[in-house]
Amino acid sequence: MTNATISSRKNESIARGVGMTTQIYADRAENSEIWDVEGRRYIDFSSGIAVVNTGHRHPKVIEAVKAQLDRFTHTCHQVVPYESYVRLAERLNGMLPGAFEKKTIFVTTGAEAVENAVKIARHATGRQAIIAFSGGFHGRTFMGMALTGKVVPYKVGFGAMPGDVFHAPFPVALHGVSVADSLAALDRLFKADVDPARVAAIIIEPVQGEGGFYEAPREFVSALRKICDQHGILLIADEVQTGFARTGKMFAMEHHDVAPDITTMAKSLAGGFPLSAVTGRAEIMDAPGPGGLGGTYGGSPIGVAAANAVLDVIEEEGLCDRANALGARLKQRLESLRDDVQEIVDIRGPGFMNAVEFNHAKKGVPSAEFANAVRLNALDKGLILLTCGVYSNVIRFLSPITIQDNVMTEALDILESAIRDARAG
């Protein structure tokens, strides 16, 4: 069996809308490494897009899942509930920022968490409008697409989006948008397009994921909190990609000393098993009546068991501190290349949620071509990287936080070589 033969079968059987970054077909994985069906080893700097912060097949997570498999796999929590769901909710309620009572629901995907956050916000406020930001990504369902601030490939060809969704520019100084610009745009939005008294919520990623790993400035997040409080608007933090130690804290909003009213979580919550969550102020979460929230697979006992183990691992192995140390190593190596690689225009990101952005060395414009050349060079050398950004000129780094020190060193050597090779042309 080869990657090429499976790829040929894939082309005949799977819709082309399911895009694939590589044509590597996985056979097995362990911590930060993947082996394909041909036996070749790769270092994984994608983590399934920030899903396995605790590494592929962490022994404690696998042990918890196996134990749950021996008890039961599905009852539907809305029919026959289970204590582990309650325990995980209690733990998240206690972890999320905000000195107020919280409640939680579990669903299955990040997009589903965002959909439910919007439902809850609308029900709790009696309002309809939602404000999101350019470059943001919130899922591929229709409300998720509407909230997402990028047309290609997420919205193109899918027709009309749900109404009462508005966008403001996300502050990215590198691209000429200051905090003052963004706040002024919000003010214009309230004057020209939507009465703030009709806005149910503002949703923001504390660090944009697909949009380019741009971190929301502290003063911007603080200003949003004040605007929300002034107008009775709820603040939703989309922590689907930023949560669970990735940014050096359990949740990225902890960097801002601002408590959102509602938080959405998914990806690394359950270490590779499908599970997502919505946590918020108790009175807001209780707004919908019984039956208004939920889903047949929501809060799968397998995912819940994995998530409880993931939280244990993060605490026991000190993964927040580990993320900060790894991110510092990565950024230091990238900084050492600046003098030789004029294409590097920015190196950024909190904790181990890092990115490097490339421009054309002579033209000074975003260079998707250079970023893709780095990605392909690295892949050829055995390192899996992902690009992102509105201009597709950003390499983002999402290695498991549990990556072994020697493997991290190997990965950094490959990365440097891939960047230098791209520069050499």
Side-chain angles (χ1 to χ4, degrees), residues 90-378:
E90 290 170 338
R91 296 178 76 176
L92 292 181
N93 293 343
M95 288 178 176
L96 266 295
F100 45 79
E101 293 298 315
K102 305 179 191 75
K103 290 191 175 183
T104 292
I105 66 164
F106 294 108
V107 280
T108 307
T109 68
E112 194 179 359
V114 169
E115 293 271 348
N116 276 276
V118 170
K119 284 171 59 177
I120 292 164
R122 284 178 166 175
H123 202 300
T125 62
R127 305 174 180 188
Q128 298 300 307
I130 308 291
I131 295 174
F133 292 95
S134 60
F137 178 80
H138 301 286
R140 290 180 175 86
T141 54
F142 266 95
M143 178 54 72
M145 285 192 294
L147 295 169
T148 291
K150 185 178 179 181
V151 172
V152 179
Y154 306 116
K155 300 183 183 184
V156 64
F158 291 115
M161 297 292 115
D164 259 355
V165 172
F166 301 86
H167 287 88
F170 189 85
V172 180
L174 184 66
H175 295 290
V177 183
S178 67
V179 169
D181 292 332
S182 294
L183 294 175
L186 266 176
D187 188 56
R188 287 194 298 273
L189 197 63
F190 289 152
K191 286 180 169 62
D193 293 301
V194 59
D195 180 354
R198 280 208 315 108
V199 177
I202 295 175
I203 185 168
I204 186 171
E205 295 171 283
V207 183
Q208 289 196 327
E210 297 290 325
F213 277 34
Y214 300 107
E215 187 174 7
R218 286 176 61 89
E219 62 268 32
F220 184 65
V221 178
S222 295
L224 287 183
R225 181 70 272 176
K226 291 177 183 176
I227 290 169
C228 287
D229 292 342
Q230 178 184 351
H231 296 290
I233 298 168
L234 302 182
L235 182 61
I236 301 174
D238 184 336
E239 294 252 20
V240 168
Q241 190 161 160
T242 56
F244 304 101
R246 175 55 59 183
T247 67
K249 292 185 181 290
M250 186 63 77
F251 299 101
M253 288 297 285
E254 295 178 66
H255 292 281
H256 299 284
D257 296 322
V258 168
D261 301 294
I262 300 173
T263 300
T264 62
M265 297 155 277
K267 288 193 180 289
S268 58
L269 168 59
F273 293 86
L275 186 72
S276 61
V278 183
T279 299
R281 293 180 180 270
E283 67 274 17
I284 292 170
M285 296 296 293
D286 275 344
L293 304 174
T296 301
Y297 289 106
S300 155
I302 305 300
V304 166
N308 273 308
V310 163
L311 297 185
D312 291 341
V313 170
I314 291 172
E315 180 180 0
E316 292 167 4
E317 299 187 13
L319 293 192
C320 288
D321 290 340
R322 175 75 172 158
N324 287 321
L326 289 168
R329 281 188 66 188
L330 172 59
K331 287 185 282 189
Q332 183 179 38
R333 177 65 75 94
L334 290 168
E335 289 287 354
S336 73
L337 301 177
R338 272 191 186 269
D339 290 342
D340 295 335
V341 184
Q342 285 73 48
E343 286 83 357
I344 295 176
V345 292
D346 197 27
I347 298 163
R348 58 178 175 267
F352 202 26
M353 188 172 183
N354 311 126
V356 57
E357 183 160 352
F358 299 107
N359 276 4
H360 191 284
K362 294 180 180 178
K363 298 178 182 177
V365 297
S367 180
E369 295 78 13
F370 192 91
N372 195 49
V374 172
R375 182 186 70 83
L376 292 174
N377 288 344

Side-chain angles (χ1 to χ4, degrees), residues 30-88:
E30 198 75 28
N31 197 358
S32 60
E33 299 163 284
I34 293 175
W35 288 263
D36 71 9
V37 293
E38 297 175 7
R40 184 176 180 188
R41 167 187 172 266
Y42 294 85
I43 301 172
D44 184 10
F45 260 45
S46 70
S47 294
I49 314 183
V51 167
V52 288
N53 286 1
T54 51
H56 293 282
R57 300 184 65 255
H58 191 287
K60 187 153 193 168
V61 175
I62 297 302
E63 180 184 4
V65 168
K66 286 181 176 178
Q68 183 59 51
L69 285 170
D70 286 339
R71 300 180 71 84
F72 60 91
T73 61
H74 178 76
T75 63
C76 184
H77 184 77
Q78 294 138 249
V79 179
V80 179
Y82 28 96
E83 183 273 340
S84 56
Y85 184 117
V86 177
R87 176 161 33 98
L88 183 59

